[in-house]
Each structure stands twice: as C-alpha cells, then as structure tokens.
Amino acid sequence: MALVGENGAGKSTLMKILTGIYQKDGGSIEYFGQEIEIHGPRDAQSKGICIVHQELNLMQDLTVAENIFIGREPSKGPFLDQAAQNRMTEELLSSLNLHIPARTQVKRLTVAKQQMVEIAKALSYTSTTSAPGGTLEWLLGSS
C-alpha cells in the first residue's frame, strides 16, 4: 500500500489517526471490511496497525531481538525468556529472508539493515486476527 499527496494534504495526520496517535474527529475507519475504533497506539498495534517512520526509532545499545519485542518480551514466570525472544526474532527475520542474528547489537548494523529491523518490528505486531488467513505470508503477498 502507498499513500501519496502534496505537502500539507494530511498524509501525516491520517497516519497518526490510523496508528492511534491522534483521535479522529469525524468519519469512520474500516479495516478488513469492519468498522473499528482505535483508542491509542497500543490498541492500533494490537490490531496489527503499525507505521514505519522515515527516522529510525531503534535503541542502538539493545540487540535486534530486544528492539523488536521491547514492551512485549516473552517470559517464563517472572523472568525474561531470552531464548524464546531470540527464537521468535530469528523466525520472523527468516520469514522476511533477512539474515541478521537476533543477538546483534543494532548499532553494529548498517542503516539499511536497521531499516529492515524497523520493518520486521512493525510486522511483528501483526496478530493472527489482523490478516485474512492470519499469516505473515498473506501480508507479504507470498501465499
């Protein structure tokens, strides 16, 4: 999907509404054929709606896995399950045909690879209820 328009046409405002940063003041939002309400950024993310900004939003001293799952870390009881987090990251990156080790510190990556990590992070929010068929393959157009 692409969104294009003149400067001042409202592209950024629309994206902020769709990702829950701004609340809409009229109209409706339809997502996969159903009208939805978005009550903030976490609500948008839980629905599988994310945005990849031009400027990178990664923490340079954290690993790829830590950046992708920050705030949603898998746990075993009260403890972080780093092995599961790394495994989930490797699976996600592999599905995107990216060969970046999950334990790599982000600051060691090129800007291009950091951008790919940002995209992988956004795709990691896609829940099984977000896409028809519930698969990442559908989202990437490879099914």
Side-chain angles (χ1 to χ4, degrees):
M1 176 186 311
L3 178 63
V4 294
E6 302 267 339
N7 285 343
K11 299 177 301 290
S12 294
T13 302
L14 175 61
M15 300 292 24
K16 288 176 181 175
I17 291 168
L18 293 176
T19 56
I21 296 168
Y22 292 170
Q23 292 297 307
K24 65 181 176 64
D25 58 8
S28 61
I29 299 171
E30 224 178 87
Y31 187 59
F32 290 113
Q34 294 184 5
E35 190 170 322
I36 62 167
E37 293 292 326
I38 299 171
H39 304 286
R42 287 200 183 241
D43 186 39
Q45 289 171 340
S46 74
K47 290 173 169 61
I49 302 170
C50 299
I51 187 170
V52 178
H53 297 275
Q54 279 182 295
E55 56 283 342
L56 297 174
N57 191 23
L58 298 172
M59 286 156 267
Q60 297 293 308
D61 289 322
L62 297 183
T63 68
V64 170
E66 290 166 336
N67 268 282
I68 288 175
F69 289 103
I70 193 148
R72 306 174 293 136
E73 299 87 351
S75 60
K76 277 186 184 174
F79 303 103
L80 169 66
D81 189 346
Q82 208 162 29
Q85 180 172 269
N86 289 332
R87 185 180 63 255
M88 291 164 51
T89 299
E90 297 283 351
E91 290 170 2
L92 174 64
L93 295 175
S94 176
S95 73
L96 298 170
N97 205 20
L98 295 174
H99 306 289
I100 305 169
R103 292 181 178 94
T104 303
Q105 261 188 324
V106 166
K107 68 182 172 188
R108 301 198 184 285
L109 300 175
T110 64
V111 172
K113 292 218 180 205
Q114 288 184 30
Q115 288 172 326
M116 296 308 295
V117 171
E118 281 278 17
I119 292 167
K121 181 178 179 179
L123 292 173
S124 75
Y125 284 94
T126 304
S127 69
T128 56
T129 59
S130 297
T135 64
L136 186 59
E137 290 77 24
W138 178 87
L139 184 64
L140 298 173
S142 58
S143 59

